[in-house]
Amino acid sequence: GAVVSQHPSWVICKSGTSVKIECRSLDFQATTMFWYRQFPKQSLMLMATSNEGSKATYEQGVEKDKFLINHASLTLSTLTVTSAHPEDSSFYICSAKRTGDLHEQYFGPGTRLTVT
Amino acid sequence: AQSVAQPEDQVNVAEGNPLTVKCTYSVSGNPYLFWYVQYPNRGLQFLLKYITGDNLVKGSYGFEAEFNKSQTSFHLKKPSALVSDSALYFCAVRQMASKIIFGSGTRLSIRP
């Protein structure tokens, strides 16, 4: 149990376009989901915390108008990269906390975004 | 503020030998500590966690970690390394009601 999926697994888009990444908890309800960004050979940097039915909380330095997060249900959160630029190219990973679980986060397989 | 450090960018071990991946942390209260493993182009897989109780924590794939409060360390260990253990390992720490912080990662390479 506790499986998190992401779609797509990889995407290539042109500069100036927007791309949406989905994060789904497949077999549990997730009140809270997290979005991370990982650059090559680097650690995960938390971008934002997404709570179902409310606005996401963004980390310092993350543009909320550029990285739109929607957590409309207990099993789905989406990250939309708007007006993408080549510097947005990265590996985006989501994680989910099972409702009532204090400690563990379950991670998705990640989405590789390449902006050309 | 909480932080976690992984002092080694890479650890190289021969197959069959014991391995240790180091992690130290800094928190103002009781820490919750985690180890995750990441394979290329994949998300993180949970290995083990320390919340409370026994200082020696056993996890997935034969890994274990020892919580040492006096040294503020949580080193990951395995008695006998496998080539398939080669991956990127992340230590992480959080305090109650705060976000999880990841270390910089250690690349573990097991040679046959």
Side-chain angles (χ1 to χ4, degrees):
Chain A
V3 178
V4 176
S5 70
Q6 281 184 241
H7 178 80
S9 56
W10 59 272
V11 57
I12 301 173
C13 70
K14 294 184 177 181
S15 286
T17 62
S18 296
V19 60
K20 180 185 286 188
I21 302 170
E22 294 184 349
C23 176
R24 292 182 184 271
S25 56
L26 298 185
D27 51 2
F28 65 98
Q29 293 186 333
T31 308
T32 303
M33 289 183 172
F34 304 88
W35 286 96
Y36 295 85
R37 185 173 180 177
Q38 185 181 30
F39 291 103
K41 299 184 180 181
Q42 293 190 27
S43 188
L44 281 71
M45 299 301 296
L46 180 64
M47 299 175 65
T49 301
S50 167
N51 291 296
E52 186 266 338
S54 64
K55 291 184 178 180
T57 302
Y58 290 82
E59 294 299 303
Q60 191 172 10
V62 178
E63 299 177 59
K64 62 180 181 181
D65 294 331
K66 180 169 184 61
F67 297 100
L68 299 179
I69 291 173
N70 184 281
H71 193 160
S73 78
L74 286 172
T75 59
L76 174 65
S77 176
T78 60
L79 168 68
T80 301
V81 183
T82 63
S83 187
H85 289 281
E87 55 265 33
D88 298 326
S89 298
S90 191
F91 195 52
Y92 292 88
I93 302 175
C94 75
S95 70
K97 283 184 70 176
R98 186 159 38 192
T99 302
D101 192 330
L102 289 177
H103 302 295
E104 284 196 46
Q105 294 181 33
Y106 303 95
F107 286 83
T111 297
R112 171 79 56 197
L113 170 63
T114 301
V115 184
T116 61
Chain B
Q2 57 187 21
S3 65
V4 59
Q6 293 180 244
E8 303 156 316
D9 290 337
Q10 176 135 359
V11 171
N12 300 308
V13 177
E15 187 176 28
N17 283 0
L19 68 87
T20 299
V21 183
K22 295 180 180 178
C23 172
T24 58
Y25 66 90
S26 174
V27 298
S28 57
N30 292 324
Y32 302 120
L33 296 156
F34 307 83
W35 275 101
Y36 292 88
V37 60
Q38 184 181 33
Y39 295 97
N41 295 310
R42 300 293 300 275
L44 272 65
Q45 295 180 32
F46 171 79
L47 280 179
L48 50 81
K49 66 182 177 186
Y50 171 81
I51 304 300
T52 186
D54 195 350
N55 289 344
L56 183 63
V57 179
K58 293 188 182 297
S60 306
Y61 312 120
F63 284 94
E64 59 187 30
E66 185 166 13
F67 170 63
N68 188 317
K69 189 172 183 178
S70 63
Q71 297 185 5
T72 62
S73 67
F74 190 57
H75 300 332
L76 181 70
K77 298 182 179 184
K78 187 173 183 179
S80 179
L82 299 173
V83 173
S84 57
D85 293 329
S86 298
L88 187 57
Y89 290 79
F90 289 100
C91 182
V93 65
R94 68 180 288 265
Q95 292 174 267
M96 180 64 77
S98 72
K99 61 188 178 185
I100 191 169
I101 302 295
F102 288 90
S104 55
T106 298
R107 187 162 300 280
L108 178 63
S109 178
I110 310 299
R111 60 183 184 275

